[in-house]
């Protein structure tokens, strides 16, 4: 079963070795990516391909609608490993226009567990309902919700104690918010980058 995928894999590995004989050997010893990508599971948004990076260059976490929920052990484990062990310099939350997860969050249909997963997006939509309701075109409105969701997840990441503690230790980390367009393959930087605790949150002096 899946012979075509196994054949693809063998051909891919051969091409890699043909271009660079030591490619896999070097990766075996360590990974030292500078970037953590938090993106949507959508098959049309393949992280490495979009930014044209090789294996070893991008640490990736993907879930439905690119969420960074502060109670999700999977996301938190990835974040802590990326920050404390790999010491990535950049974390990009990457949403995408036309995200099915974002539209499912607000279309009123019931799907089961995923409705709970998408709950944070309904909250974002509620908080921004004046702005969103002023957009007459439904697709444009949902695309704006995709952007607002990215901005909120950037805030979640930058407020996280792993990231806050890394900044307090003097570690360099920039948290970026991007949106990808499936229609043209281009990433837009939402220019909401957070690079230190002063920009991220309020806390009482220790
Ligand atoms: Co999506």
């Amino acid at each position: 079963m899946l012979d075509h995928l196994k054949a693809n894999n063998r051909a891919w590995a051969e091409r890699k070795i043909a271009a660079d004989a030591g490619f896999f050997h070097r990766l075996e010893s360590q990974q030292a990516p500078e970037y953590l990508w938090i993106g949507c599971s959508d098959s049309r948004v393949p992280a490495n391909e979009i930014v044209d990076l090789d294996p070893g260059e991008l640490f990736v976490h993907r879930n439905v609608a690119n969420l960074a929920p502060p109670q999700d052990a999977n996301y938190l484990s990835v974040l802590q490993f990326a920050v404390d062990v790999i010491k990535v310099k950049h974390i990009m939350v990457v949403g995408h226009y036309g995200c099915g997860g974002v539209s499912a969050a607000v279309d009123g249909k019931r799907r089961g567990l995923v409705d709970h997963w998408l709950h944070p997006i309904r909250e974002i939509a509620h908080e921004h309902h004046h702005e969103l309701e002023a957009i007459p075109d439904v697709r444009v409105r949902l695309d704006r919700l995709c952007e607002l969701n990215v901005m909120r997840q950037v805030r979640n990441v930058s407020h996280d104690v792993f990231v806050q503690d890394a900044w307090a230790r003097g570690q360099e980390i920039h948290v970026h918010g991007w949106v990808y367009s499936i229609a043209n393959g281009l990433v837009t930087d939402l220019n909401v980058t957070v690079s230190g605790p002063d920009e991220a949150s309020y806390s009482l002096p220790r």
Side-chain angles (χ1 to χ4, degrees), residues 40-42 65-66 96 98-101:
C40 185
S41 299
D42 193 305
N66 43 269
H96 67 101
C99 182

Side-chain angles (χ1 to χ4, degrees), residues 144-156:
R144 180 58 184 159
L145 183 54
C146 290
E147 295 178 352
L148 292 169
N149 179 41
V150 167
M151 293 177 203
R152 173 60 59 85
Q153 306 316 316
V154 166
R155 204 166 85 190
N156 283 357

